[in-house]
Amino acid sequence: MYESLTALIPALKTDNFGEWIVDRENDGTPEHPIQFPFVNYGEAVQGLEKEIYAFEKQHPDFGLKRYNDILNENEIEWGLDSMKKADVSNLDRRTVMALLLGAVRAERFCDGALLDFCENGSVVKWLERLKEIDGD
């Protein structure tokens, strides 16, 4: 059920997740406005984001649009620290998917949030839990 997501594990373990792009050429004048820093995500992370959104669309029965409520029901706060520290060993598939979607949506509010989840190993840990669940 999660093959399209778990197939990305090897790439997420070896590929470059992305890099910060910082405008060092412009001086902030009206003629040369500074572009805010942003992350240019690598191919594996872009593929992951695409697959998470596709899963959400294909499985409305999971109710992932309410990912924050799903996390709260499992005593996980929608925030970087709480999500990183979450013990996923006993979480069900719906909650793991809520973590993944929450990480992708966090990027909308905090540039680099998804990069942080990738760099600290949380995303791979969550995907490995899905692979474990799928094998049950």
Side-chain angles (χ1 to χ4, degrees):
M1 176 175 214
Y2 306 100
E3 296 86 6
S4 63
L5 290 162
T6 59
L8 296 167
I9 293 172
L12 289 167
K13 285 183 174 180
T14 59
D15 284 0
N16 177 14
F17 301 121
E19 65 178 325
W20 279 99
I21 305 298
V22 179
D23 184 356
R24 299 193 196 292
E25 295 176 15
N26 295 300
D27 60 7
T29 61
E31 298 82 26
H32 302 98
I34 294 176
Q35 182 175 347
F36 285 106
F38 65 95
V39 178
N40 183 20
Y41 282 103
E43 199 172 304
V45 177
Q46 290 179 33
L48 173 70
E49 184 177 13
K50 177 183 165 207
E51 291 301 328
I52 290 170
Y53 280 124
F55 185 93
E56 176 198 19
K57 188 175 184 177
Q58 293 165 0
H59 297 89
D61 52 311
F62 271 56
L64 292 175
K65 290 188 187 297
R66 296 182 32 253
Y67 63 90
N68 193 22
D69 293 337
I70 296 167
L71 294 176
N72 284 332
E73 289 166 10
N74 289 274
E75 299 178 6
I76 302 169
E77 182 182 324
W78 183 56
L80 294 172
D81 290 334
S82 180
M83 290 170 65
K84 285 186 218 176
K85 293 176 184 172
D87 177 10
V88 297
S89 61
N90 293 313
L91 293 182
D92 63 9
R93 61 188 77 214
R94 183 172 176 241
T95 307
V96 176
M97 285 304 305
L99 283 166
L100 287 164
L101 184 59
V104 169
R105 295 274 171 89
E107 184 68 23
R108 294 169 55 194
F109 301 101
C110 178
D111 286 338
L114 184 55
L115 180 65
D116 190 26
F117 284 121
C118 290
E119 288 179 337
N120 72 35
S122 294
V123 168
V124 169
K125 177 176 69 172
W126 301 336
L127 291 172
E128 287 174 342
R129 175 63 181 145
L130 283 180
K131 191 171 187 171
E132 183 181 293
I133 290 169
D134 227 8
D136 292 342

